[in-house]
């Protein structure tokens, strides 16, 4: 089972790609607490007030795609893949997002789908305006944050 989203930003694919492949870029739309290596083969540690995730960078194709594998974090996430495919359409960079490989449809998956949507809107804002809404300044969607 997969979480799927599609969002467009009025920005270049290179701008969006940079936000997905640099520690500074990631810290400006997902969470301010980011460490590690965002290079292909590296591991990026993302930390939030409620815990965190470690992502191994499986693939980076400039202005086209970024793929991560979750190597540490909540049990439901470990072994799943997070994919950002980029393409240009009508002045937008379209982000086709997939969080793939969930073993079962659980309530936490629904929560994560909503949170991914808020963070993808943060990515859009960062790409378009230079300022996103990363954690801890992100939209709180429930008691799970």
């Amino acid at each position: 089972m997969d979480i799927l989203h599609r969002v467009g930003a009025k920005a270049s694919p290179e701008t969006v790609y940079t936000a997905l492949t640099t520690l500074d870029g990631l810290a400006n739309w997902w969470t301010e607490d980011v460490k590690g290596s965002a290079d292909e083969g590296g591991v990026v540690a993302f930390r939030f007030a409620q815990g965190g995730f470690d992502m191994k960078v499986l693939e980076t194709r400039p202005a086209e795609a970024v793929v991560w594998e979750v190597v540490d974090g909540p049990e439901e996430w470990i072994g799943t893949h997070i994919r950002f495919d980029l393409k240009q359409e009508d002045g937008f960079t379209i982000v086709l997002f997939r969080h793939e490989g969930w073993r079962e449809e659980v309530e936490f998956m629904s929560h994560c789908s909503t949170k991914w949507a808020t963070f993808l809107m943060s990515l859009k804002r960062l790409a378009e305006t230079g300022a996103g809404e990363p954690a801890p300044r992100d939209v709180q969607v429930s008691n799970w944050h």
Side-chain angles (χ1 to χ4, degrees), residues 24-74:
D24 187 53
L26 293 163
N28 280 294
W29 70 267
W30 196 15
T31 181
E32 293 176 352
D33 189 352
V34 180
K35 293 178 178 63
S37 171
D39 296 330
E40 198 167 299
V43 175
V44 185
F46 299 94
R47 295 295 177 263
F48 300 80
Q50 305 78 26
F53 314 97
D54 291 355
M55 309 288 185
K56 182 173 184 180
V57 181
L58 297 183
E59 180 181 355
T60 56
R61 280 186 282 130
E64 291 182 14
V66 176
V67 182
W68 301 330
E69 178 181 2
V70 183
V71 294
D72 195 19

Side-chain angles (χ1 to χ4, degrees), residues 28-29 121-134 137:
N28 280 294
W29 70 267
M121 294 306 293
S122 176
L123 172 62
K124 171 186 173 64
R125 278 188 290 281
L126 174 64
E128 291 179 346
T129 71
E133 295 177 351
R137 297 179 285 117

Side-chain angles (χ1 to χ4, degrees), residues 66-134:
V66 176
V67 182
W68 301 330
E69 178 181 2
V70 183
V71 294
D72 195 19
E75 181 181 341
E76 296 92 343
W77 280 46
I78 294 175
T80 63
H81 291 91
I82 296 166
R83 175 176 201 96
F84 303 86
D85 287 303
L86 310 177
K87 64 181 181 174
Q88 279 191 290
E89 282 184 9
D90 303 323
F92 285 85
T93 294
I94 304 297
V95 179
L96 296 173
F97 171 87
R98 299 178 72 94
H99 185 169
E100 53 194 15
W102 287 73
R103 290 181 290 282
E104 57 182 331
E105 191 175 301
V106 293
E107 188 176 354
F108 186 49
M109 183 179 178
S110 299
H111 169 78
C112 292
S113 180
T114 304
K115 286 303 295 188
W116 273 124
T118 68
F119 284 120
L120 289 168
M121 294 306 293
S122 176
L123 172 62
K124 171 186 173 64
R125 278 188 290 281
L126 174 64
E128 291 179 346
T129 71
E133 295 177 351

